[in-house]
């Protein structure tokens, strides 16, 4: 069942129809971004770790595998999101049974953001002092221990900042997805704000997107601050 059919009854009694539309679209955007963030992290995070541990000089060196994986990630990142979303319509239909709506948009959003997440994780892990890794190896630590007990904790602040950047990027992607039927604030701004010449609706949608970005960035900064303080 599409998320819009569940949330529209919650706001249908609002006296102002514009407020009702904005509320529904905001929930759809949050729904898309939340799920696509989870799935893109599940896809991209292990790939980012693989890129680091299999590189030359890594703790599990596999240079050919690393090169092939890097090419695949770069190829996926080179696709404009709109084109990628259209190409993934068959997959969306297979997974969720539709190519229209917020739920269907989660599939291309997740796949589109996964390579971005992988590169963010790779960059964060590469900042870890190699001396710490060598010291852990000299003490007999296993590769999994080095990854989860040394490398990831050391780059925690950078990872949080990277995840925040990913979420903010997904908000932008979700707005673009709205142009081809994904719903959310992007869809509202295009269908009502632009095509029906209702400038006020477009402005309200933009303001809400800005607020979402500010809140997410502030939460990320606070998490990093608390971690560094402790």
């Amino acid at each position: 069942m599409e998320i819009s059919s569940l949330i529209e009854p919650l706001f249908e009694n609002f006296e102002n129809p514009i407020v009702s539309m904005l509320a529904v679209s905001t929930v759809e955007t949050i729904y898309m971004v939340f799920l696509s963030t989870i799935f893109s992290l599940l896809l991209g995070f292990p790939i980012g770790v693989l890129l680091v541990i299999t590189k030359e000089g890594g703790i599990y060196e596999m240079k050919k595998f690393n090169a092939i994986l890097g090419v695949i990630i770069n190829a996926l990142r080179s696709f404009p999101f709109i084109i990628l979303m259209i190409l993934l319509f068959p997959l969306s239909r297979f997974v969720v049974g539709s190519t229209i709506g917020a739920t269907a948009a989660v599939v291309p959003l997740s796949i589109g953001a996964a390579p971005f997440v992988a590169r963010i994780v790779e960059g964060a892990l590469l900042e870890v002092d190699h001396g710490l890794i060598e010291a852990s190896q000299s003490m007999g630590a296993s590769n999994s221990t080095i990854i989860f007990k040394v490398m990831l904790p050391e780059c925690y602040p950078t990872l949080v900042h990277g995840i925040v950047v990913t979420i903010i990027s997904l908000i932008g992607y979700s707005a673009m997805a709205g142009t081809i039927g994904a719903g959310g604030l992007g869809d509202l701004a295009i269908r009502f704000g632009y095509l029906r010449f209702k400038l006020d609706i477009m402005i309200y949608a933009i303001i809400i997107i800005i607020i979402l970005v500010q809140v997410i960035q502030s939460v990320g900064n606070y998490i990093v601050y608390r971690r560094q303080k402790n």
Side-chain angles (χ1 to χ4, degrees):
M1 182 180 294
E2 184 53 51
I3 184 66
S4 58
S5 63
L6 297 176
I7 60 179
E8 283 176 358
L10 300 176
F11 304 104
E12 63 183 3
N13 293 325
F14 281 24
E15 293 183 4
N16 191 328
I18 294 179
V19 175
S20 177
M21 288 190 297
L22 286 169
V24 171
S25 297
T26 300
V27 174
E28 286 179 337
T29 294
I30 293 172
Y31 168 81
M32 283 189 287
V33 171
F34 175 77
L35 287 183
S36 55
T37 298
I38 297 298
F39 290 126
S40 64
L41 286 173
L42 289 175
L43 291 170
F45 204 96
I47 295 174
V49 173
L50 281 174
L51 282 170
V52 174
I53 66 175
T54 60
K55 72 180 182 66
E56 185 175 0
I59 61 175
Y60 196 71
E61 184 176 317
M62 296 174 63
K63 290 188 288 185
K64 290 184 178 180
F65 173 81
N66 184 274
I68 294 171
L69 187 60
V71 170
I72 293 172
I73 291 172
N74 290 337
L76 288 173
R77 289 182 67 191
S78 67
F79 274 90
F81 176 70
I82 293 293
I83 297 175
L84 181 63
M85 187 169 184
I86 294 171
L87 289 175
L88 291 174
F89 272 171
L91 181 60
S92 296
R93 185 179 293 108
F94 174 77
V95 174
V96 302
S98 175
T99 60
I100 303 298
T103 302
V106 170
V107 175
L109 283 170
S110 302
I111 294 175
F116 185 68
V117 171
R119 288 302 185 188
I120 286 176
V121 173
E122 179 192 22
L125 290 174
L126 288 176
E127 291 183 4
V128 177
D129 186 356
H130 195 67
L132 290 174
I133 299 174
E134 291 178 343
S136 300
Q137 289 175 320
S138 66
M139 291 187 290
S142 64
N143 288 343
S144 60
T145 299
I146 293 173
I147 293 169
F148 293 105
K149 300 292 186 180
V150 179
M151 297 174 70
L152 291 177
E154 279 295 314
C155 65
Y156 179 84
T158 307
L159 283 175
V160 172
H161 281 305
I163 292 171
V164 168
V165 171
T166 300
I167 296 172
I168 292 173
S169 298
L170 282 168
I171 293 175
Y173 285 165
S174 71
M176 287 189 285
T179 62
I180 48 178
L185 291 167
D187 176 59
L188 182 69
I190 294 295
R191 285 195 299 117
F192 289 90
Y194 178 72
L195 296 178
R196 299 188 185 183
F197 304 102
K198 294 183 180 294
L199 183 60
D200 56 338
I201 293 180
M202 181 179 291
I203 292 174
Y204 293 147
I206 292 171
I207 290 173
I208 293 173
I209 290 174
I210 292 173
I211 292 172
L212 288 175
V213 169
Q214 291 296 329
V215 169
I216 291 166
Q217 186 65 64
S218 297
V219 170
N221 291 342
Y222 177 75
I223 292 173
V224 171
Y225 169 76
R226 288 300 300 264
R227 174 59 182 258
Q228 292 176 337
K229 188 176 180 180
N230 294 333

